[in-house]
Amino acid sequence: MLNGSLSKESWYLIHIDGLVQGVGFRPFIYRLATEMQLSGMVGNRNDGVFIKIRGSENDLRNFENRIRKESPPAACIHSISIHKSEPELLDDFRIIESKNTSEEITGVSPDIAVCADCLEDMERQIHRKDYPFINCTNCGPRFSIIKELPYDRHFTSMEPFRMCKSCNSEYTDVADRRFHAQPIACNVCGPVYRMISGKEVLYSLDDILNELSEGITSGKVYALKGTGGFHLMCDAWNQAAVLRIREIKKRDAKPFAIMASGISEIKENAEVDENEERLLQSWQRPIVLLKSKGRLAGAVSNGLNKVGVMLPYMPFHYLMFKKLKTQHLVLTSGNITDEPILIGNEEASSVFGNSVDGIIDYNREIYNRADDSVCIVVNEKPMILRRSRAFTPQPVFLNLQVEGIFAAGAELVNSFCIGKAKQAIMSQYIGDLKNLETLSFYEETYSRFEKLFRFKPRLVAMDMHPDYLSSRFASDLSEKHHIPLVKIQHHHAHIASVMASHQLDTEVIGVSFDGTGMGDDGKIRGAEFLAADLVDFERLLHFEEIPLPGGDRASIECWRMAVSYLYRVFGEELFALDLPLFRSIEENKVSGIVQLIEKRINSPMVSSAGRLFDAVSSIIGLVHYNSFQAEAAMRLEASINPFEKRRYDFDLSGESISFTPTIKQIVADCQQGIGQDDIAAKFHNTIVEVVVDSCMNLAKERANKIIVLSGGTFQNHFLSAAVEKRLSAAGLKVYLPKSVPVNDQGIALGQLAVAAKRHSSGLI
Ligand code: ZN
Ligand code: ZN
Ligand code: FE
């Protein structure tokens, strides 16, 4: 009887929700159903993919299992629902062409690293022998080449290339791996590379690779066109070449990313655990920050103990490593410091033409620029620090209706976010909105998103800081469309961003630590403990306020903050202290700052975790000037002696958290000649304790066990890992963001969520 019902055939309607369009999902379902001899159909719908099949309950169960297990690498199944359905008059299985135009909205997939099958085809298929643009339905460029929807070849920058006969027959054969692979191409019909060095131009791939290999070995520097923009490239073992790239980028001091030929080559220079290995090999191929063994040229990581590494992700990268003698290349974004990554061939040749030894580009346009994404593993979970290539425009699935909401983001490491139904689509990493170039990248990207996702704004969200260029863009947009504008406090947005990424919609205790964000009273804040939900927040606790002498200049000149803390603790006696700081900064400069503070000239009161890290870093003589954002904090973290478990005292008894005892003990340690590594460790242990103690107290007081950690300071691996472990062990539920950056790039998602929730609650 049971067997009878299991083998009885019926018709079923299966609905699959998630990232299932533009990633080769329908051909996969077709092949699976055909293999299992099930009849029916598959098609795209605006809310995912639907399948109708005829089969027994057993078939259905196997079918569902195999969908979950074998779906294409870039697909991400959110849910599968199954219902009985009306019978269809079908004896075979077919792919139904989609007619609904709005359905393509979810059809824009991120760029996908070349797959293993294609790498094999690159050796096997005659028309694709060593073809550097090989791709299939599972891999290849997507977001970077799309101009318009639907995602069809003629709306991508593949449009000028006419498919040859073989490509066309693969493209139209539903059983082929390249069925409807829009960027399909081969040696006969597709794009080609070229190399320009001086007056010489090479077109033969062999010549290019030979020349490149010799050049890299002899220390030359090249610009190489990638998926989402140009890279600058050289041998990562060659100090002089690496320093040359720093000059070309106009003295960029940030650590450079490395591309290594394989995992074992990465391990030669860095420690890699299994979670990091999985992340490195994922189809997104992000840059992963790893603990460096310090073997490559010193100028790569510039004295930091972490190195950002990625594996090859374009066919050309693989071909290149076959020829190269070195297995480690610097592969850093091809831009001038603080400007967007370059994408145009002519642009690259005018900016880099005179400074590099050669430019390797190709004749397909990059339409949407995207830097490499950056991740780190914290307590065995990936955390994303820069969300761009291979993540954009993958939506963040929400529990909220966000249609028509535009969230402008903040200022530094900016990204904006648009709402479509219950999905948030974040823009790629735009950068620091401080110059015309990044602003025009922002504006251009907004108009592309508007068109691509058929986005009609009906509500605009922005930061409270009126001078951010993103805020100005937001208010202009709201005026232009006559739609409401809502201002969302920076730290509330930080917390809401993490909540939205986990679909949390309840009251939480939020810890938001960063450099600076404007409070609703116009004060600058960056060390906040909040009780927050998606509608509103209450400020529970914060770091003691301290003068920020010289305003914004103090975020670059850390020593100003050091003087500010020392003056708070020691008053005029600070001049008598024997500190490393005073060996680098002249006394008259120090007294100048003391004057500013005393006379309260341009010295707003701030409460900021970032500035406290700056101050400590400078007091102990590590960094006095930030040559890139968060340098002082990064070097302080890099100095930690992991065996030092002690900490300093702090004061939780007042209305705010005071570090007067901490600073006193740090000064005492300095005067006793205690090493920077021990002080750095004790200071970090202190901050961990401050967060843990405060959260435990607040959790008890508010009878709330949910803790959310957010803000750029939590990019500090030591801090995030230790706080999460300690609070979880104490029985609290701790959240760091999932799939969005913890820094200001994540702000837009938080703004979007708060605006949506306020709107649905009738508050807007
Ligand atoms: Zn492939
Ligand atoms: Zn072809
Ligand atoms: Fe922030």
Side-chain angles (χ1 to χ4, degrees):
M1 193 54 198
L2 189 68
N3 274 341
S5 90
L6 278 178
S7 60
K8 208 179 115 217
E9 292 200 336
S10 332
W11 279 90
Y12 295 96
L13 175 66
I14 305 175
H15 173 237
I16 304 177
D17 175 26
L19 229 195
V20 288
Q21 295 176 8
V23 292
F25 204 80
R26 286 176 306 158
F28 155 72
I29 294 293
Y30 173 86
R31 284 192 291 274
L32 187 61
T34 321
E35 193 194 310
M36 293 178 67
Q37 297 180 317
L38 302 170
S39 44
M41 60 172 100
V42 58
N44 279 341
R45 226 164 63 174
N46 42 359
D47 54 351
V49 162
F50 77 93
I51 305 162
K52 276 190 171 186
I53 55 156
R54 189 180 68 200
S56 65
E57 273 185 38
N58 238 341
D59 293 334
L60 185 74
R61 214 170 298 147
N62 288 338
F63 189 60
E64 188 195 342
N65 281 339
R66 289 191 62 183
I67 291 176
R68 288 192 188 273
K69 272 195 207 129
E70 298 167 30
S71 68
C76 169
I77 296 173
H78 193 229
S79 67
I80 299 184
S81 63
I82 303 172
H83 300 279
K84 286 228 164 142
S85 101
E86 294 296 304
E88 298 279 340
L89 283 170
L90 280 174
D91 289 324
D92 56 357
F93 196 91
R94 34 186 94 156
I95 296 181
I96 306 291
E97 280 308 309
S98 37
K99 289 188 192 80
N100 179 355
T101 48
S102 73
E103 62 91 16
E104 257 87 15
I105 277 75
T106 50
V108 190
S109 151
D111 298 306
I112 308 169
V114 61
C115 73
D117 291 338
C118 282
L119 289 174
E120 243 175 61
D121 282 352
M122 201 158 70
E123 294 182 355
R124 207 168 47 88
Q125 284 188 335
I126 294 161
H127 60 307
R128 294 204 180 83
K129 178 87 182 88
D130 288 345
Y131 182 57
F133 294 91
I134 192 165
N135 65 82
C136 69
T137 49
N138 288 339
C139 79
R142 299 284 189 275
F143 175 67
S144 58
I145 59 166
I146 190 164
K147 295 185 178 183
E148 254 180 76
L149 282 171
Y151 174 58
D152 271 336
R153 187 178 176 99
H154 62 276
F155 286 143
T156 71
S157 48
M158 282 302 290
E159 187 268 333
F161 302 93
R162 249 188 92 140
M163 267 182 241
C164 71
K165 254 184 159 173
S166 352
C167 283
N168 190 57
S169 71
E170 294 163 312
Y171 181 85
T172 47
D173 175 3
V174 75
D176 194 275
R177 290 205 315 109
R178 295 188 174 80
F179 172 70
H180 280 196
Q182 303 304 340
I184 190 173
C186 74
N187 272 316
V188 177
C189 65
V192 291
Y193 277 90
R194 72 174 171 177
M195 181 182 206
I196 312 161
S197 39
K199 286 203 175 97
E200 193 188 29
V201 185
L202 302 175
Y203 286 98
S204 135
L205 187 69
D206 270 346
D207 293 349
I208 293 173
L209 292 172
N210 287 330
E211 174 84 21
L212 181 64
S213 167
E214 273 173 36
I216 292 283
T217 307
S218 62
K220 287 186 174 171
V221 166
Y222 295 92
L224 171 66
K225 188 168 174 177
T227 300
F230 276 83
H231 283 119
L232 291 171
M233 164 171 88
C234 74
D235 183 359
W237 296 90
N238 189 320
Q239 176 81 350
V242 182
L243 287 172
R244 243 185 90 200
I245 294 191
R246 294 208 173 274
E247 277 308 304
I248 294 170
K249 292 184 81 166
K250 302 235 157 70
R251 302 212 173 77
D252 191 337
K254 281 181 240 168
F256 284 160
I258 296 299
M259 179 177 277
S261 54
I263 281 284
S264 45
E265 287 74 17
I266 290 181
K267 289 179 180 169
E268 281 172 29
N269 181 59
E271 289 170 22
V272 188
D273 70 21
E274 53 181 16
N275 295 297
E276 291 161 337
E277 191 165 330
R278 202 171 313 125
L279 194 55
L280 282 161
Q281 287 174 321
S282 67
W283 61 267
Q284 287 98 342
R285 295 286 203 286
I287 295 170
V288 181
L289 297 184
L290 301 170
K291 188 146 195 294
S292 168
K293 293 183 183 167
R295 300 208 177 119
L296 301 173
V300 170
S301 300
N302 242 350
L304 285 159
N305 62 344
K306 291 216 169 66
V307 60
V309 188
M310 62 187 146
L311 285 171
Y313 56 86
M314 292 178 85
F316 187 88
H317 297 151
Y318 285 89
L319 294 167
M320 180 170 79
F321 275 116
K322 274 192 196 166
K323 279 270 162 69
L324 288 177
K325 294 202 177 71
T326 181
Q327 304 302 311
H328 304 88
L329 291 170
V330 161
L331 210 68
T332 177
S333 297
N335 62 339
I336 302 300
T337 304
D338 294 336
E339 290 178 12
I341 188 170
L342 297 181
I343 53 175
N345 292 355
E346 274 168 29
E347 205 184 4
S349 111
S350 78
V351 176
F352 296 132
N354 294 324
S355 49
V356 298
D357 298 302
I359 296 179
I360 301 147
D361 62 12
Y362 53 79
N363 57 343
R364 182 178 67 204
E365 192 192 347
I366 297 173
Y367 193 66
N368 298 304
R369 72 185 87 215
D371 291 82
D372 293 310
S373 297
V374 182
C375 298
I376 191 167
V377 174
V378 176
N379 292 339
E380 298 175 5
K381 294 182 293 281
M383 185 156 108
I384 189 162
L385 304 182
R386 182 165 76 195
R387 194 178 191 275
S388 208
R389 177 184 55 78
F391 290 87
T392 308
Q394 190 168 324
V396 178
F397 295 96
L398 304 173
N399 249 340
L400 301 159
Q401 179 58 248
V402 290
E403 182 72 41
I405 305 178
F406 170 74
E411 180 180 54
L412 299 177
V413 297
N414 175 284
S415 213
F416 64 76
C417 191
I418 62 167
K420 287 300 295 181
K422 288 175 134 184
Q423 298 177 4
I425 304 172
M426 285 176 69
S427 77
Q428 65 270 51
Y429 165 84
I430 307 261
D432 297 347
L433 280 181
K434 283 186 161 177
N435 55 41
L436 273 180
E437 289 77 10
T438 39
L439 179 64
S440 71
F441 177 22
Y442 182 97
E443 291 167 341
E444 172 195 271
T445 307
Y446 174 73
S447 40
R448 286 182 181 185
F449 269 52
E450 205 176 33
K451 196 166 143 200
L452 198 52
F453 298 101
R454 301 195 174 93
F455 177 72
K456 289 197 186 67
R458 60 176 177 87
L459 176 61
V460 179
M462 64 175 248
D463 196 276
M464 284 190 162
H465 203 305
D467 299 334
Y468 287 173
L469 294 176
S470 60
S471 302
R472 291 196 204 157
F473 180 85
S475 33
D476 289 351
L477 192 74
S478 129
E479 245 169 60
K480 185 177 145 202
H481 292 276
H482 310 285
I483 49 177
L485 176 69
V486 25
K487 296 180 185 174
I488 291 154
Q489 204 270 321
H490 191 90
H491 298 288
H492 186 206
H494 264 308
I495 301 304
S497 165
V498 181
M499 292 174 68
S501 79
H502 289 280
Q503 302 194 347
L504 273 182
D505 185 1
T506 176
E507 187 174 314
V508 304
I509 291 169
V511 186
S512 179
F513 281 8
D514 67 1
T516 48
M518 188 177 274
D520 25 16
D521 51 3
K523 277 194 180 174
I524 302 166
R525 311 189 181 290
E528 308 287 295
F529 293 81
L530 315 171
D533 58 21
L534 289 179
V535 172
D536 217 340
F537 71 99
E538 184 188 332
R539 195 172 183 226
L540 303 175
L541 187 63
H542 56 91
F543 287 5
E544 173 184 47
E545 288 173 6
I546 284 281
L548 182 75
D552 275 351
R553 270 187 78 179
S555 3
I556 296 163
E557 302 181 16
C558 325
W559 65 272
R560 288 171 178 247
M561 228 32 221
V563 172
S564 187
Y565 268 101
L566 291 170
Y567 185 66
R568 163 66 56 92
V569 176
F570 297 98
E572 296 283 343
E573 280 168 34
L574 79 92
F575 292 101
L577 300 171
D578 176 27
L579 287 174
L581 164 68
F582 299 131
R583 277 162 237 151
S584 305
I585 308 292
E586 299 102 64
E587 197 177 320
N588 65 331
K589 281 175 123 184
V590 175
S591 50
I593 293 304
V594 169
Q595 295 264 316
L596 278 189
I597 297 170
E598 271 183 342
K599 296 186 178 148
R600 301 187 180 183
I601 302 167
N602 192 17
S603 297
M605 299 298 281
V606 297
S607 135
S608 159
R611 297 294 85 81
L612 174 60
F613 278 76
D614 282 355
V616 171
S617 190
S618 171
I619 290 173
I620 69 171
L622 200 57
V623 177
H624 302 299
Y625 296 87
N626 275 321
S627 54
F628 54 91
Q629 213 205 328
E631 180 181 6
M634 283 163 77
R635 292 201 189 279
L636 197 60
E637 185 192 358
S639 304
I640 292 175
N641 168 11
F643 302 106
E644 175 57 85
K645 301 295 177 198
R646 288 174 297 172
R647 63 168 176 86
Y648 299 116
D649 293 328
F650 52 87
D651 185 0
L652 277 187
S653 64
E655 277 189 359
S656 58
I657 301 166
S658 164
F659 291 95
T660 295
T662 320
I663 300 293
K664 270 189 189 159
Q665 290 169 358
I666 289 175
V667 168
D669 271 0
C670 281
Q671 289 179 328
Q672 281 174 38
I674 305 285
Q676 288 174 335
D677 53 343
D678 290 337
I679 299 179
K682 285 163 86 174
F683 172 69
H684 274 82
N685 295 337
T686 309
I687 300 297
V688 171
E689 201 66 29
V690 165
V691 178
V692 170
D693 269 16
S694 309
C695 285
M696 302 284 285
N697 293 342
L698 295 172
K700 212 168 174 190
E701 233 174 85
R702 312 279 307 188
N704 189 335
K705 291 192 163 184
I706 308 174
I707 309 286
V708 166
L709 307 175
S710 194
T713 302
F714 285 101
Q715 291 177 105
N716 184 312
H717 184 273
F718 183 92
L719 180 66
S720 302
V723 168
E724 191 191 29
K725 267 193 193 150
R726 292 268 309 274
L727 289 175
S728 309
L732 302 182
K733 183 82 188 124
V734 185
Y735 291 93
L736 280 160
K738 192 169 90 181
S739 79
V740 292
V742 75
N743 55 40
D744 280 8
Q745 204 197 339
I747 285 281
L749 177 65
Q751 294 171 341
L752 185 92
V754 173
K757 191 68 187 178
R758 286 194 189 158
H759 188 262
S760 69
S761 313
L763 298 167
I764 299 171

